[in-house]
């Protein structure tokens, strides 16, 4: 029992108790490789979020340590993320009003709020809420976020700085800067060269990370050629460890960040859940989504407490740890320890790290969000889904990151309601030579049975579609003529009926009764029958109005027409 509790609430401690000595060297090696990637990426995403570079390292160290204890996945790497960085900037910079220290404080508060939302969601078992973001909308908003991040980094790649409030403003400012002669040729060489190195080494599937080569080479060249005064550089980091930075907060700040925090919690967990399940499947493990949600929440909460900002799982850095041979959470702990050593012993090294190189690192990482192939597949498979994806894309670009995420969630809900509101519906008939009853709109050679209409409605019946259901059945029966005596509802797709739809069902039953026809339910699920009974309709729809199968209903209806109804053919309960 104690072991089960330990594995649930502190999987990392359970791993330590069963740790194998053969894992130590691979974990330390993976941690060292991770450190080389985490430093430039952490710095880069901090700058995208509008924060001092050092906060990106704080937001890396703390989550790695926390997740190593409470995270259910053995090698998942949590760190600053390209999907969250622009949202953080959009949330905190207007409230910070140019005050860097206040921006750090607000980012910490945002991390705490994101973490709290995820922890509560994990305990309430709300992991399913990530389904609010359907694939088309995820493709759309992630493509838009990639555009926003890449646009924001082009000025640094060209050697100058700018500030704007929108992607369009960025694009105009970039063109203005180029035309105005603000481009630094030396910075451009570092930026383009770094991009080339990273892309080539990725394409050739080099065992040496392209980011490591680009960063190391640019720093060596900057130092050797004495260029750190001639091009924009990251600058020396302040020596020290993560520490609380939450002074000067007000309740108004909490209110102002509430909506962005919920949006980021949704995105952070959606990305983490997908990656966690993928890794677990490859390793033959299973991961509890709600436990994962709480673990990501705890990591965010402590990141916020100790000078960081909201984070998520990183697919690229997790892949790097996995390919480096990571065996357990110790790889993340080693990466965090090496980062601490770097901050204590070598914070001045970043004084020789060109900002153009960091921009190249961030742009390559952001390009990983782009999913052109996924969008093309949507166009091919469903024009409606493709339109929704474009709407989410434009929503993020035009309305802003936070408003765009809200647009994406609203569109997801609208897509769901739309499918349920106007579901597929069909009249079924018989086809000579084929068993069963088939959709007459897809099989024109089929025929309606004399005196019988069979209809199917492929959705739960609720307030939004009850009227459509009623109208469809009435229209189908009317089109069949006046000799219809039995209307069979193939009810297997109907998984629920609400009170509004019940009224529509009763009105339909009355309409059919006046026409001399009987409504019969075939293949209705037991729980739905229970709903009808709970609504007090047991007498209105007695057992003889239900059949096990459409075929049984047809047989009984045919028997009724012949005057020899056999009650044994009707399902009375299940």
């Amino acid at each position: 029992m104690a072991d089960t509790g330990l594995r649930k609430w502190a999987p990392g401690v359970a791993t330590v108790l069963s740790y194998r000595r053969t894992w130590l060297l691979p974990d330390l090696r993976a941690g060292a490789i991770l450190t080389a990637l985490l430093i430039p990426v952490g710095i880069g995403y901090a700058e995208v979020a509008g924060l001092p570079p050092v906060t990106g390292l704080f937001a890396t160290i703390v989550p790695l340590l926390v997740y190593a204890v409470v995270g259910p996945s053995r090698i998942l790497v949590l760190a600053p993320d390209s999907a969250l960085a622009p949202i953080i900037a959009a949330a905190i910079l207007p409230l910070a009003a140019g005050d860097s220290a206040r921006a750090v404080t607000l980012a910490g508060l945002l991390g705490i709020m994101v973490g709290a939302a995820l922890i509560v969601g994990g305990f309430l078992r709300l992991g399913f809420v990530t389904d609010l973001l359907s694939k088309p909308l995820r493709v759309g908003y992630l493509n838009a976020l990639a555009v926003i991040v890449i646009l924001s980094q082009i000025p640094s790649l060209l050697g100058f700085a700018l500030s704007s409030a929108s992607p369009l403003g960025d694009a105009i400012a970039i063109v203005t800067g180029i035309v105005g002669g603000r481009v630094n040729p030396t910075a451009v060489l570092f930026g383009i060269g770094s991009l080339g190195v990273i892309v080539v080494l990725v394409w050739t599937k080099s065992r040496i990370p392209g980011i490591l080569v680009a960063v190391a080479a640019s720093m060596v060249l900057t130092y050797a050629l004495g260029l750190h005064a001639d091009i924009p550089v990251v600058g020396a980091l302040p020596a020290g460890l993560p520490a609380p930075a939450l002074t000067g907060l007000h309740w108004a700040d909490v209110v102002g960040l509430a909506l962005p925090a919920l949006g980021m919690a949704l995105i952070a967990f959606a990305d983490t859940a997908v990656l966690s399940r993928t890794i677990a499947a490859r390793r033959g493990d299973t991961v509890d989504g709600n436990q994962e949600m709480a673990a990501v929440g705890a990591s965010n909460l402590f990141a916020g407490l100790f000078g960081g900002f909201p984070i998520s799982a990183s697919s690229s850095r997790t892949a790097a740890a996995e390919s480096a041979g990571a065996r357990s959470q110790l790889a993340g702990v080693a990466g965090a320890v090496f980062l601490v050593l770097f901050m204590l012993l070598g914070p001045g090294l970043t004084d020789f790290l060109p900002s153009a190189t960091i921009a190249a690192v961030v742009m390559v990482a952001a390009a990983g969000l782009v999913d052109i192939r996924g969008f093309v597949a949507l166009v091919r498979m469903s024009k409606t889904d493709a339109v929704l994806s474009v709407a989410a894309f434009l929503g993020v670009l035009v309305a802003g990151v936070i408003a765009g995420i809200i647009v994406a969630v609203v569109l997801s809900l609208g897509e769901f309601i739309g499918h349920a509101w106007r579901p597929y519906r069909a009249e079924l008939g018989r086809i000579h030579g084929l068993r069963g009853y088939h959709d007459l709109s897809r099989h024109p050679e089929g025929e309606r049975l004399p005196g019988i209409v069979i209809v199917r409605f492929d959705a739960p019946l609720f307030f939004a579609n009850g009227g459509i259901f009623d109208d469809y059945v009435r229209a189908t029966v009317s089109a069949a003529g006046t000799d219809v005596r039995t209307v069979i509802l193939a009810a297997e797709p109907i998984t629920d009926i609400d009170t509004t739809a019940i009224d529509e069902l009763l009105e339909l039953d009355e309409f059919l009764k006046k026409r001399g026809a009987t409504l019969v339910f075939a293949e209705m699920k037991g729980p739905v029958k229970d709903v009808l009974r709970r609504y007090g309709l047991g007498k209105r729809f007695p057992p003889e109005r239900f059949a096990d199968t459409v075929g049984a209903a047809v047989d009984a209806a045919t028997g009724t027409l012949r005057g020899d109804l056999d009650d044994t053919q009707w399902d009375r309960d299940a």
Side-chain angles (χ1 to χ4, degrees):
M1 185 68 71
D3 182 63
T4 301
L6 196 62
R7 290 184 180 279
K8 181 174 183 179
W9 300 111
V13 177
T15 299
V16 169
L17 297 178
S18 60
Y19 195 82
R20 301 178 186 177
R21 186 177 300 176
T22 55
W23 293 353
L24 182 59
L25 185 58
D27 278 341
L28 293 177
R29 181 174 63 244
I33 292 175
L34 262 181
T35 303
L37 300 177
L38 293 171
I39 292 172
V41 175
I43 290 172
Y45 287 148
E47 293 188 345
V48 173
L51 296 165
V54 71
T55 61
L57 301 187
F58 291 167
T60 302
I61 294 169
V62 176
L64 285 175
L65 295 174
V66 173
Y67 189 83
V69 177
V70 300
S73 177
R74 287 196 170 191
I75 62 170
L76 195 68
V77 176
L78 266 60
D81 181 65
S82 54
L84 296 183
I87 309 176
I88 296 169
I92 67 171
L93 295 185
L95 298 177
D99 186 335
S100 178
R102 178 159 166 74
V104 172
T105 298
L106 291 170
L109 174 62
L110 191 59
I112 293 171
M113 294 172 67
V114 170
L118 288 170
I119 291 172
V120 171
F123 280 109
L124 295 180
R125 308 188 69 80
L126 299 179
F128 65 88
V129 298
T130 57
D131 296 334
L132 289 175
L133 292 175
S134 63
K135 179 180 178 180
L137 299 177
R138 283 174 58 80
V139 169
Y141 85 72
L142 286 177
N143 281 338
L145 289 179
V147 171
I148 290 172
V149 172
I150 290 171
L151 271 176
S152 73
Q153 295 305 299
I154 290 177
S156 295
L157 194 79
L158 301 179
F160 62 90
L162 62 81
S163 60
S164 73
S166 68
L168 180 60
D170 280 347
I172 294 173
I174 289 168
V175 173
T176 302
I178 294 173
V179 173
R182 297 178 62 189
V183 175
N184 184 318
T186 307
V188 172
L189 288 176
F190 273 100
I192 300 299
S194 297
L195 269 178
V197 168
I198 296 170
V199 171
V200 168
L201 290 182
V202 169
W203 278 352
T204 57
K205 298 181 179 179
S206 170
R207 294 179 62 86
I208 303 175
I211 292 176
L212 174 60
V213 174
V215 169
S218 63
M219 290 176 68
V220 169
L221 286 173
T222 302
Y223 174 76
L225 300 177
L227 297 174
H228 71 285
D230 301 323
I231 59 174
V233 293
V234 171
L237 299 177
L241 298 175
L246 296 170
T247 57
L249 290 172
H250 308 284
W251 282 112
D253 298 326
V254 175
V255 174
L257 295 176
L259 195 57
L262 291 175
M264 275 184 272
L266 182 63
I267 294 169
F269 180 62
D271 290 345
T272 301
V274 171
L275 183 58
S276 178
R277 287 197 301 265
T278 301
I279 294 171
R282 281 204 300 262
R283 299 169 67 91
D285 298 329
T286 57
V287 173
D288 183 333
N290 295 299
Q291 184 182 1
E292 187 74 81
M293 194 178 206
V296 175
S299 301
N300 270 283
L301 189 148
F302 280 96
L305 282 174
F306 288 93
F309 50 79
I311 50 85
S312 178
S314 166
S315 57
S316 60
R317 279 150 282 176
T318 299
E322 189 175 28
S323 63
R327 296 290 185 271
S328 73
Q329 295 95 326
L330 181 61
V333 173
V337 171
F338 291 145
L339 271 175
V340 169
L341 292 175
F342 168 78
M343 296 186 68
L344 293 176
L345 303 178
L349 291 176
T350 52
D351 198 32
F352 301 98
L353 178 56
S355 295
T357 296
I358 290 296
V361 170
V362 172
M363 291 171 75
V364 171
L369 295 176
V370 177
D371 190 1
I372 301 299
R373 184 178 299 176
F375 178 72
V376 171
L378 290 175
V379 173
R380 187 174 61 250
M381 292 186 293
S382 170
K383 296 296 187 294
T384 301
D385 282 354
V387 169
L388 288 171
S389 186
V390 170
F393 178 82
L394 294 177
V396 172
L397 287 182
V398 176
V401 176
I402 297 171
I405 299 303
I406 297 172
V407 169
V409 172
V410 171
L411 286 174
S412 282
L413 293 173
E415 180 186 16
F416 166 74
I417 293 172
H419 282 307
W421 178 36
R422 302 188 66 85
Y424 190 80
R425 44 210 183 270
E427 181 183 3
L428 307 183
R430 181 174 287 165
I431 300 175
H432 291 294
L434 283 180
R435 298 184 61 182
Y437 299 88
H438 306 274
D439 185 348
L440 294 180
S441 66
R442 298 176 61 85
H443 297 279
E445 72 277 16
E447 59 185 25
R448 184 184 293 124
L449 281 70
I452 300 174
V453 167
I454 308 171
V455 292
R456 192 185 71 219
F457 196 78
D458 294 350
L461 292 178
F462 68 116
F463 65 92
N465 66 16
I468 293 174
F469 164 75
D470 188 357
D471 292 343
Y472 175 71
V473 177
R474 292 188 189 212
T476 304
V477 171
S478 298
T482 58
D483 63 339
V484 175
R485 293 294 174 264
T486 303
V487 176
I488 300 171
L489 175 61
E492 185 178 17
I494 299 175
T495 56
D496 194 17
I497 305 178
D498 74 2
T499 53
T500 305
I502 282 292
D503 290 341
E504 298 286 353
L505 187 64
L506 292 174
E507 290 177 10
L508 174 64
D509 187 55
E510 194 65 31
F511 167 79
L512 295 175
K513 184 178 179 181
K514 290 179 180 178
R515 292 178 61 99
T518 301
L519 178 62
V520 174
F521 304 98
E523 303 176 8
M524 180 172 276
K525 300 178 185 301
V528 183
K529 295 179 186 178
D530 293 341
V531 170
L532 295 180
R533 295 189 186 104
R534 193 163 61 248
Y535 290 156
L537 299 177
K539 292 182 178 180
R540 180 67 176 265
F541 299 117
E544 56 266 25
R545 301 277 290 273
F546 297 88
D548 284 331
T549 65
V550 173
V554 170
D555 290 343
T558 305
T560 300
L561 293 174
R562 294 195 307 266
D564 57 353
L565 174 63
D566 180 1
D567 284 343
T568 62
Q569 297 181 44
W570 298 97
D571 167 40
R572 296 180 180 274
D573 182 48

